[in-house]
Amino acid sequence: MADVTVKELADVVGTSVERLLSQMKEAGLPQTAASQSVSDDQKQSLLLFLKKSHGEAAATPNKITLKRKVTTTLKTGQGGKKAVAIEVRKKRTYVKREELDLEAEKAKEEAARVEAAAPVAAEAPAAPVAEEAPAAVVAEAPAAAEAPAADAAVAEKPAANAKPAAKAKPATVEEDAAQKRAEAEAAQARQEENRKKSNKTVDKKRVDLRENSRFTDGGEDDRNRSRRGGKGKMKGGRGRQQSANEHAFTRPTAPVVHEVELPEAITVADLASKMAVKAGEVIKTLMKMGVMATINQILDQDTATLVVEEMGHKVTKLIADNALEVAVTESVSYEGDEQPRAPVVTVMGHVDHGKTSLLDYIRRTRVVSGEAGGITQHIGAYHVETDHGMVSFLDTPGHAAFTSMRARGAQSTDVVILVVAADDGVMPQTEEAIQHAKAADVPIVVAINKMDKEAADPERVKSELSARDVLPEDWGGTVPFIPVSAHTGQGIDDLLEAVLLQAEILELKAHFTGPGQGVVVESRLDKGRGPVATLLVQNGTLKKGDIVLAGTCYGRARALLDENGQQVNDAGPSIPVEILGLNGTPEAGDNFMVVESEKKAREVAEFRENKMKELVQQRQQAAKLDALFSGMGEGQVANLNVVVKTDVRGSLEAIVASLQKLATDEVRVNVVSSGVGGITETDATLAVASGAVMFGFNVRADNAAKKVVENNGVDMRYYSVIYDLLDDVKQAMAGLLAPELREEITGIAEVRDVFNSPKFGQIAGCMVIDGVVYRHKKIRVLRDNVVVYEGELESLRRFKDDVAEVRQGMECGIGVKNYQDVRPGDQIEVFDVREIARTL
């Protein structure tokens, strides 16, 4: 039995706590408070003390009799209309084992003495003894009422054959005592046998009860017993019941240390759940660590580890969120030796230095004529069969807005051709191209273009590039400088030879068999074909029908197209190809790979998308908190909301990046929504809800979107050149700037004398010494060239007439509003505040 407190023991006994404590003190027990626990031995000591104090000689009871009464109702008759009450009474007696053993020993000793005295007893008359013994047994039968019915029947048989006790002759006292002892020994033996049988039955039921203990709290056996009317309970109607004073849950006395497994990112609520604490406790701990967080704040693995250790728990395992992604990536393997592959060449340079014209001559096509404004605004990918071998070209834009696109081009290329106009020299985007190439550790081949022009000066180009650590070979450097002309074809062969020579030095190799891997060069949303992505295969072979995983997008390659729009069945290393069948437009620069099943591709894509959303949420939350503290005491920042839709992903990223760079301390561009494809009704509705301006870059709005735009007056503009879009945004942002307040002094009057007027109070007699004094303008009163008052004119008079203005060289009377301390010699300065529109 579990220990209980003094208060609980008092409730069970039915006495007060104070009385129980006084009795325990008299019994010599150490308890002095109601919350202290009492053990089983202490309970026995207290019980013995109370019995002795009440005059009971026996320390412990020899026999305990339990009585039980169960009343049930039985419905009889037709339909169970008549109810009959049934009362079942049961009584069971338990005798201590020690007492029974002692009595059994005494019975054996008495039996031995009786056997020894048997010859003596035989000489006595037999009839009285034979007749008395059954009677004694019958007389003692009620005392053994607890014996089973079978034993009672055995005990009654001798009584039926015996003669009446009245006919028995009296026996001696010794014989009578011997008979009674024998009868007591027989009754004691029967009780011992019955006790053993009862103990076996109870032990068996205890075993059954332990076996069935798992079927509790609504288990199947409990439900079956309930349907059978409770037949599954123990004999006597007693089931497995919990004591009213026994608690099912014991509150831990020591702090519980939880073992926590942490993923790479976890919310505050989930972290609190893992440690079995309230989220408020975790937030409090974070605040002590100097981190402001909410219940939905996402914590990184390091921060969560510090919080767990700070709260006294233990981190057992750090779970990598990208385990699935790593498993899919490592599943791609190649067999066999690598073989030489064609080089991938990226053409870089400043705007209008002739990059695309150079490729145009090599490919014998007219690519420039198809570009808006003669400017390349996409990444073009081509592979060309030349006399010197196959070469793949990536044509990147040269405008500063496409810096990120050029960076991706440099990271996926083997050789960079830096195009510099011989008549223009090194420009800002030329320097950026050099930086990208050096950062990617890619060899450079300089093409000095436009050599056919009269103003061409190749030595100037060499000198300017040498200053930027690009040394030509003929000056002792390692970079080949090739003079070329995209119009006449001068030096084109030399340029290709130099590129292939660099490729041979690099010893470019790849696996031609196995699943395809590479990089996404460009992606767009085609109205008729859906998402179209331009991929550059870098390893293995991409085949039609493969399952492709590209960034957060996946799908089956329904068709492969080369740069001329012709369908192909496969594409090997260094071959650019367009793919149809993805479920979205992947980001330019994302890696792609061929996976075994669409299920794995979908799982990895969904994991990447969820991770990206979590990162975006983290940035937004951090931005909110940072803005909360940094914005205290500052004015409101004006926002220009825009919705941008473009034809390809690369242009979209370049435009969004350029718009964000236009932000100032007072006004910034907020890109509400951006995407690839035509302008839809959803985009127009979003623009209406957010009050945004819509920009379409090489895309148009459908009919549903046009209706929304017309009905709500949304400002929607189409562009095909990025310069025009950025200029319009700058003008719109300038309109949101607060105007500049500029003061202009219109006139100065000198006070010559001061008069008192009963109507206007103090009047200053003045002479206008500069400009014009106006009646409704603001003024300042200057004394010794120090401003002593700033206000406005109350009255302006010339002689007795009110006038609106008084010019230089004329006298006038000026009444200053709410100021009565004008003195001779003061100057009254009249000024005006004008608003000047600001520009970025």
Side-chain angles (χ1 to χ4, degrees):
M1 183 176 180
D3 295 346
V4 296
T5 62
V6 174
K7 185 178 183 308
E8 293 173 346
L9 183 60
D11 294 338
V12 174
V13 175
T15 184
S16 63
V17 177
E18 292 76 13
R19 178 176 174 80
L20 182 60
L21 286 173
S22 63
Q23 292 175 345
M24 296 176 75
K25 182 178 181 182
E26 294 173 359
L29 298 179
Q31 285 76 9
T32 58
S35 60
Q36 292 180 342
S37 61
V38 183
S39 64
D40 291 341
D41 296 336
Q42 292 172 340
K43 293 177 190 176
Q44 292 294 335
S45 301
L46 179 62
L47 182 60
L48 292 175
F49 170 75
L50 293 177
K51 284 187 175 183
K52 289 180 181 179
S53 63
H54 287 81
E56 293 185 16
T60 56
N62 297 331
K63 181 169 64 175
I64 299 176
T65 302
L66 302 179
K67 296 182 180 180
R68 186 180 184 91
K69 181 172 67 174
V70 178
T71 304
T72 58
T73 303
L74 178 64
K75 294 184 178 181
T76 61
Q78 295 182 354
K81 296 181 179 180
K82 186 177 180 180
V84 179
I86 301 175
E87 182 177 288
V88 180
R89 297 181 180 179
K90 296 183 180 180
K91 182 172 71 173
R92 182 168 295 178
T93 301
Y94 296 92
V95 182
K96 291 190 66 174
R97 184 182 297 273
E98 295 82 357
E99 297 294 336
L100 293 177
D101 294 342
L102 183 59
E103 291 179 359
E105 292 294 332
K106 291 181 179 179
K108 289 181 180 179
E109 293 176 0
E110 292 294 339
R113 286 197 295 269
V114 170
E115 290 177 358
V120 179
E123 298 176 358
V129 177
E131 293 174 357
E132 287 285 326
V137 173
V138 174
E140 291 293 326
E146 297 299 323
D151 296 335
V154 173
E156 289 174 358
K157 287 182 180 180
N161 299 328
K163 295 182 179 180
K167 298 180 182 179
K169 294 181 181 180
T172 62
V173 176
E174 292 79 2
E175 293 176 351
D176 187 29
Q179 290 177 1
K180 289 183 178 181
R181 284 195 297 271
E183 293 167 0
E185 291 172 0
Q188 190 68 31
R190 288 195 298 270
Q191 289 184 357
E192 178 67 17
E193 185 178 359
N194 294 338
R195 184 183 63 78
K196 291 181 179 180
K197 291 182 179 179
S198 177
N199 288 342
K200 289 182 179 179
T201 304
V202 171
D203 292 341
K204 184 177 184 301
K205 290 187 176 182
R206 285 176 180 171
V207 173
D208 295 341
L209 185 61
R210 284 196 297 268
E211 291 293 330
N212 296 330
S213 62
R214 62 179 183 271
F215 300 108
T216 58
D217 298 331
E220 184 65 26
D221 286 7
D222 287 344
R223 291 193 292 270
N224 294 339
R225 286 195 292 268
S226 177
R227 287 193 290 267
R228 292 194 298 266
K231 293 182 180 179
K233 294 185 178 180
M234 292 178 61
K235 185 176 179 181
R238 291 178 298 175
R240 186 186 179 196
Q241 298 180 356
Q242 186 175 351
S243 173
N245 295 318
E246 184 179 352
H247 294 282
F249 172 76
T250 303
R251 182 177 180 178
T253 57
V256 179
V257 178
H258 292 276
E259 296 183 349
V260 183
E261 295 182 357
L262 292 179
E264 291 185 356
I266 185 172
T267 62
V268 172
D270 293 341
L271 182 61
S273 176
K274 286 180 177 290
M275 294 187 292
V277 298
K278 294 182 179 180
E281 298 295 329
V282 178
I283 295 175
K284 189 185 299 182
T285 304
L286 286 168
M287 292 181 68
K288 291 180 182 178
M289 296 168 59
V291 179
M292 299 292 295
T294 62
I295 192 171
N296 295 321
Q297 179 81 24
I298 297 177
L299 306 177
D300 57 71
Q301 206 169 58
D302 296 335
T303 304
T305 302
L306 293 176
V307 172
V308 172
E309 294 175 352
E310 183 71 18
M311 299 188 72
H313 300 284
K314 184 180 180 181
V315 178
T316 58
K317 185 179 180 182
L318 298 178
I319 304 173
D321 289 344
N322 61 343
L324 177 63
E325 185 176 4
V326 171
V328 173
T329 304
E330 292 179 351
S331 64
V332 178
S333 59
Y334 299 96
E335 297 178 356
D337 297 332
E338 294 182 336
Q339 299 178 6
R341 64 173 177 84
V344 179
V345 180
T346 297
V347 183
M348 291 185 175
H350 192 68
V351 175
D352 199 27
H353 273 203
K355 301 181 299 299
T356 308
S357 299
L358 189 63
L359 283 175
D360 179 29
Y361 185 87
I362 296 174
R363 297 175 60 235
R364 296 290 192 274
T365 57
R366 298 292 296 169
V367 178
V368 174
S369 59
E371 296 285 352
I375 303 169
T376 302
Q377 303 186 81
H378 305 156
I379 294 181
Y382 326 98
H383 78 283
V384 208
E385 293 290 346
T386 66
D387 297 337
H388 306 278
M390 198 269 286
V391 182
S392 294
F393 289 96
L394 297 180
D395 180 19
T396 63
H399 187 260
F402 295 85
T403 301
S404 60
M405 296 171 63
R406 285 203 315 276
R408 292 193 186 111
Q411 291 171 359
S412 58
T413 191
D414 303 315
V415 181
V416 168
I417 295 180
L418 181 62
V419 179
V420 184
D423 60 341
D424 202 5
V426 176
M427 300 300 288
Q429 281 73 43
T430 310
E431 296 181 7
E432 291 182 9
I434 295 172
Q435 294 173 1
H436 289 313
K438 288 184 176 181
D441 196 18
V442 178
I444 300 175
V445 176
V446 177
I448 306 176
N449 196 18
K450 301 184 180 181
M451 289 297 296
D452 55 325
K453 289 190 175 183
E454 296 181 0
D457 188 0
E459 296 300 322
R460 172 193 170 191
V461 174
K462 291 182 180 181
S463 177
E464 292 178 350
L465 288 177
S466 299
R468 289 161 179 81
D469 200 19
V470 181
L471 297 176
E473 290 178 336
D474 53 354
W475 286 18
T478 58
V479 179
F481 279 60
I482 311 298
V484 297
S485 173
H487 291 287
T488 62
Q490 173 188 348
I492 298 297
D493 292 339
D494 297 336
L495 179 63
L496 293 177
E497 286 181 3
V499 169
L500 292 172
L501 178 61
Q502 293 288 342
E504 289 180 6
I505 296 174
L506 295 174
E507 297 182 353
L508 303 174
K509 294 183 179 181
H511 289 280
F512 280 75
T513 58
Q517 279 186 322
V519 65
V520 178
V521 177
E522 188 58 274
S523 64
R524 67 181 187 276
L525 189 63
D526 191 276
K527 189 173 183 179
R529 298 182 296 176
V532 180
T534 302
L535 310 179
L536 176 65
V537 182
Q538 295 176 326
N539 224 350
T541 302
L542 176 63
K543 300 178 182 179
K544 180 179 178 180
D546 286 344
I547 304 297
V548 178
L549 172 64
T552 59
C553 303
Y554 69 95
R556 186 179 296 275
R558 293 189 287 106
L560 301 180
L561 308 174
D562 61 10
E563 65 270 13
N564 298 320
Q566 302 297 322
Q567 289 200 16
V568 294
N569 293 325
D570 53 34
S574 303
I575 301 294
V577 65
E578 285 189 343
I579 180 176
L580 308 180
L582 297 179
N583 65 338
T585 55
E587 300 284 344
D590 286 342
N591 292 324
F592 81 88
M593 60 185 297
V594 175
V595 297
E596 298 176 356
S597 63
E598 188 172 355
K599 179 182 177 182
K600 290 185 178 179
R602 180 174 63 253
E603 290 176 353
V604 176
E606 290 177 353
F607 163 75
R608 291 176 177 175
E609 188 172 1
N610 293 334
K611 190 173 182 179
M612 186 178 298
K613 289 180 180 178
E614 291 177 359
L615 293 176
V616 171
Q617 186 179 0
Q618 277 184 304
R619 295 194 196 102
Q620 291 176 348
Q621 189 71 20
K624 289 179 182 178
L625 293 176
D626 293 342
L628 177 64
F629 293 107
S630 63
M632 289 182 177
E634 299 182 1
Q636 293 291 331
V637 179
N639 287 326
L640 174 63
N641 297 331
V642 297
V643 175
V644 182
K645 296 298 289 288
T646 64
D647 56 341
V648 294
R649 176 70 65 176
S651 300
L652 176 65
E653 294 178 357
I655 292 173
V656 171
S658 300
L659 292 177
Q660 292 175 348
K661 289 180 181 178
L662 297 177
T664 64
D665 294 337
E666 299 181 48
V667 61
R668 61 168 174 251
V669 179
N670 179 26
V671 181
V672 178
S673 176
S674 61
V676 177
I679 299 174
T680 63
E681 183 180 6
T682 304
D683 299 326
T685 306
L686 181 60
V688 173
S690 58
V693 182
M694 299 186 65
F695 295 143
F697 191 80
N698 288 334
V699 294
R700 297 294 180 265
D702 56 17
N703 293 330
K706 289 180 181 178
K707 290 182 180 178
V708 175
V709 170
E710 293 174 359
N711 295 335
N712 296 276
V714 179
D715 187 3
M716 181 175 64
R717 304 184 183 186
Y718 297 137
Y719 298 93
S720 58
V721 178
I722 191 173
Y723 305 119
D724 300 336
L725 187 150
L726 297 179
D727 290 341
D728 287 354
V729 172
K730 288 181 181 178
Q731 294 179 3
M733 293 175 67
L736 294 175
L737 290 173
E740 180 184 354
L741 300 179
R742 185 175 300 173
E743 292 184 1
E744 291 184 357
I745 299 175
T746 61
I748 299 176
E750 184 178 353
V751 179
R752 299 292 176 87
D753 202 353
V754 179
F755 307 97
N756 290 320
S757 170
K759 183 178 181 182
F760 298 104
Q762 204 174 47
I763 300 296
C766 304
M767 171 68 75
V768 180
I769 60 176
D770 188 14
V772 181
V773 175
Y774 293 94
R775 182 176 185 178
H776 300 293
K777 302 290 185 182
K778 293 184 177 181
I779 66 165
R780 293 190 183 98
V781 178
L782 284 74
R783 184 171 298 158
D784 296 332
N785 294 322
V786 178
V787 177
V788 295
Y789 176 77
E790 182 174 342
E792 60 183 32
L793 288 179
E794 186 174 17
S795 64
L796 179 62
R797 287 193 173 192
R798 179 167 171 74
F799 300 107
K800 294 185 179 181
D801 299 328
D802 290 332
V803 294
E805 61 183 37
V806 179
R807 296 185 177 274
Q808 181 179 356
M810 302 178 70
E811 295 181 347
C812 62
I814 297 176
V816 182
K817 189 174 183 179
N818 297 329
Y819 186 69
Q820 302 296 325
D821 192 25
V822 180
R823 301 176 186 177
D826 291 348
Q827 289 183 345
I828 298 177
E829 181 182 84
V830 182
F831 65 94
D832 191 13
V833 179
R834 297 179 57 189
E835 293 184 354
I836 307 296
R838 298 168 58 193
T839 58
L840 291 176

